[in-house]
Amino acid sequence: MVPKYIKENANDTVQYLEYNAERPHLIIPEYGRHLQKLIDQATAIEDRELRNKTAKYIIYVMGGLNPHLRDVPDFQHKLWDQLFIMSNFKIDVDSPYPIPSREVLQLKPEVLQYPQNFPKYRFYGNNIKYMIDVANKWEEGEMKGALIKVIANHMKKSYLSWNKDTVTDAVIFEHLYELSAGTINLIQSDEELLNTTDLMRTNKRVSNKIMPAGQPKIQSNKKKPFVKKNNNQNKIQ
């Protein structure tokens, strides 16, 4: 006799639902929750031989997600490290590679030391300051004067790259005086820098060289004039 169908209570059914907020945190979410549960089950296995066999199977499954890298030695090392990380370093298996430690993975890299933390004129760059320091070490003479003029012209070109409007030589001389800590003073001199138009043309030519050769050129949005074809020309006379 077929048992009578018993209608389930909706409230009882909802109690069996499992939400992600109630589940344990995924250490490496890319592998998914099923693989995380498989590693947790392998960690709880008491037989060491069976645990090692299970770990190798898990590595095979993890490598199956990237089959083209599965047999690469460096990639195998990465998979074993991820196995220990996903087990929260609790799984005890025989790894063909050195077992990573929690302390090594939690080490923070050293802070990089930048040449200038807060440069006032960022558009000049750090190389200008290096050139000014080199010029200060040179002896007074024609060579040092030529180097200072090159530095001033390069500063003007860098300024125009940042600000497309024109800039006077007096502004460049004031910035040069400030960056050199007062050792290079051209404010009262009669020195003239290159013309703004020539420097702008140079910047445009350099930017065109930097553009990749395969990059398509911007086409104009102007439509070509419509030319009505004369159908009588196609007729055989």
Side-chain angles (χ1 to χ4, degrees):
M1 182 177 179
V2 180
K4 185 178 180 181
Y5 173 74
I6 300 176
K7 184 178 181 181
E8 296 181 356
N9 189 0
N11 294 329
D12 297 338
T13 306
V14 172
Q15 293 180 0
Y16 294 99
L17 293 178
E18 187 178 8
Y19 295 95
N20 289 333
E22 300 175 353
R23 295 176 177 177
H25 174 68
L26 288 178
I27 301 176
I28 304 181
E30 289 78 5
Y31 287 107
R33 190 166 298 277
H34 293 291
L35 189 61
Q36 181 66 53
K37 291 182 178 180
L38 188 61
I39 294 176
D40 295 340
Q41 294 176 2
T43 306
I45 297 176
E46 298 181 356
D47 187 5
R48 186 176 185 83
E49 183 178 356
L50 180 60
R51 190 166 61 247
N52 287 330
K53 185 177 180 180
T54 306
K56 293 180 180 179
Y57 173 75
I58 294 174
I59 293 296
Y60 178 80
V61 174
M62 294 170 64
L65 300 177
N66 299 284
H68 60 288
L69 299 174
R70 184 169 51 194
D71 299 329
V72 178
D74 294 340
F75 187 69
Q76 286 286 321
H77 191 181
K78 179 180 179 181
L79 293 180
W80 280 96
D81 289 346
Q82 290 178 344
L83 173 64
F84 287 102
I85 294 172
M86 293 178 67
S87 67
N88 201 13
F89 302 94
K90 295 179 180 179
I91 190 171
D92 185 13
V93 293
D94 299 330
S95 174
Y97 305 97
I99 300 177
S101 61
R102 190 191 304 272
E103 292 75 13
V104 174
L105 293 177
Q106 291 180 351
L107 289 177
K108 295 183 179 180
E110 298 180 357
V111 179
L112 294 177
Q113 299 295 332
Y114 290 94
Q116 293 181 359
N117 294 329
F118 303 100
K120 185 175 181 180
Y121 305 110
R122 295 178 181 270
F123 44 85
Y124 289 137
N126 293 326
N127 291 332
I128 286 293
K129 189 65 175 63
Y130 297 151
M131 296 171 66
I132 293 174
D133 295 338
V134 171
N136 288 329
K137 297 178 182 179
W138 285 17
E139 297 180 357
E140 296 293 336
E142 185 178 354
M143 293 294 295
K144 182 176 181 179
L147 178 59
I148 292 175
K149 187 174 182 180
V150 170
I151 294 174
N153 283 313
H154 188 71
M155 290 175 61
K156 187 174 182 180
K157 184 174 65 174
S158 301
Y159 189 98
L160 293 173
S161 298
W162 167 71
N163 186 5
K164 300 302 181 182
D165 296 334
T166 183
V167 58
T168 61
D169 295 347
V171 175
I172 301 300
F173 294 156
E174 291 178 0
H175 292 173
L176 180 60
Y177 180 81
E178 184 177 356
L179 293 176
S180 64
T183 58
I184 301 177
N185 188 1
L186 299 178
I187 298 176
Q188 302 297 334
S189 65
D190 298 332
E191 192 72 34
E192 293 184 1
L193 301 179
L194 295 178
N195 191 8
T196 302
T197 306
D198 297 336
L199 291 175
M200 290 293 292
R201 188 183 300 110
T202 302
N203 290 341
K204 184 177 181 181
R205 184 166 60 251
V206 172
S207 62
N208 291 336
K209 290 182 179 179
I210 297 176
M211 183 180 296
Q215 186 174 356
K217 296 182 179 180
I218 301 176
Q219 298 181 357
S220 176
N221 293 328
K222 294 182 179 180
K223 296 183 179 180
K224 296 182 179 180
F226 177 75
V227 179
K228 185 177 181 181
K229 295 182 179 179
N230 189 2
N231 296 328
N232 295 329
Q233 296 179 357
N234 298 328
K235 294 182 179 180
I236 301 175
Q237 298 296 335

